[in-house]
Amino acid sequence: MSVTTATVRYFAGARAAAGVPEETLGLPSGATVADALKELSVRHGEALSRVLLASSFLLDGVAVRDRSIPLSDGIVLDVLPPFAGG
């Protein structure tokens, strides 16, 4: 079975919840953004799961609206939780 490798980068509260600034995720070929998020929730538990529910995502710098988008090998997935600002 072929594997898709993605680099996941966490920002702000997502970084705190995951406990790491980034990590590599290996998923079966054809895996989607939703599959990656499910794996990250399993890997890091409830704290990150809550953050993921409210987060926005970028794939190689492009905003993701459809979580059924398949991941390509070597892609970068950025996890952007809501930011407070002023």
Side-chain angles (χ1 to χ4, degrees):
M1 174 168 48
S2 183
V3 174
T4 297
T5 302
T7 299
V8 181
R9 300 188 305 185
Y10 300 102
F11 295 87
R15 180 179 290 190
V20 294
E22 72 176 50
E23 65 184 307
T24 301
L25 193 60
L27 295 164
S29 184
T32 64
V33 172
D35 295 328
L37 298 178
K38 183 176 178 180
E39 175 62 26
L40 294 172
S41 291
V42 168
R43 190 179 283 195
H44 294 287
E46 174 107 13
L48 184 60
S49 293
R50 282 194 310 270
V51 172
L52 293 175
L53 287 174
S55 292
S56 299
F57 306 96
L58 302 176
L59 282 178
D60 282 345
V62 178
V64 172
R65 304 234 188 297
D66 180 0
R67 294 183 182 186
S68 68
I69 294 171
L71 301 174
S72 57
D73 193 48
I75 202 157
V76 175
L77 173 65
D78 291 327
V79 179
L80 308 169
F83 291 94

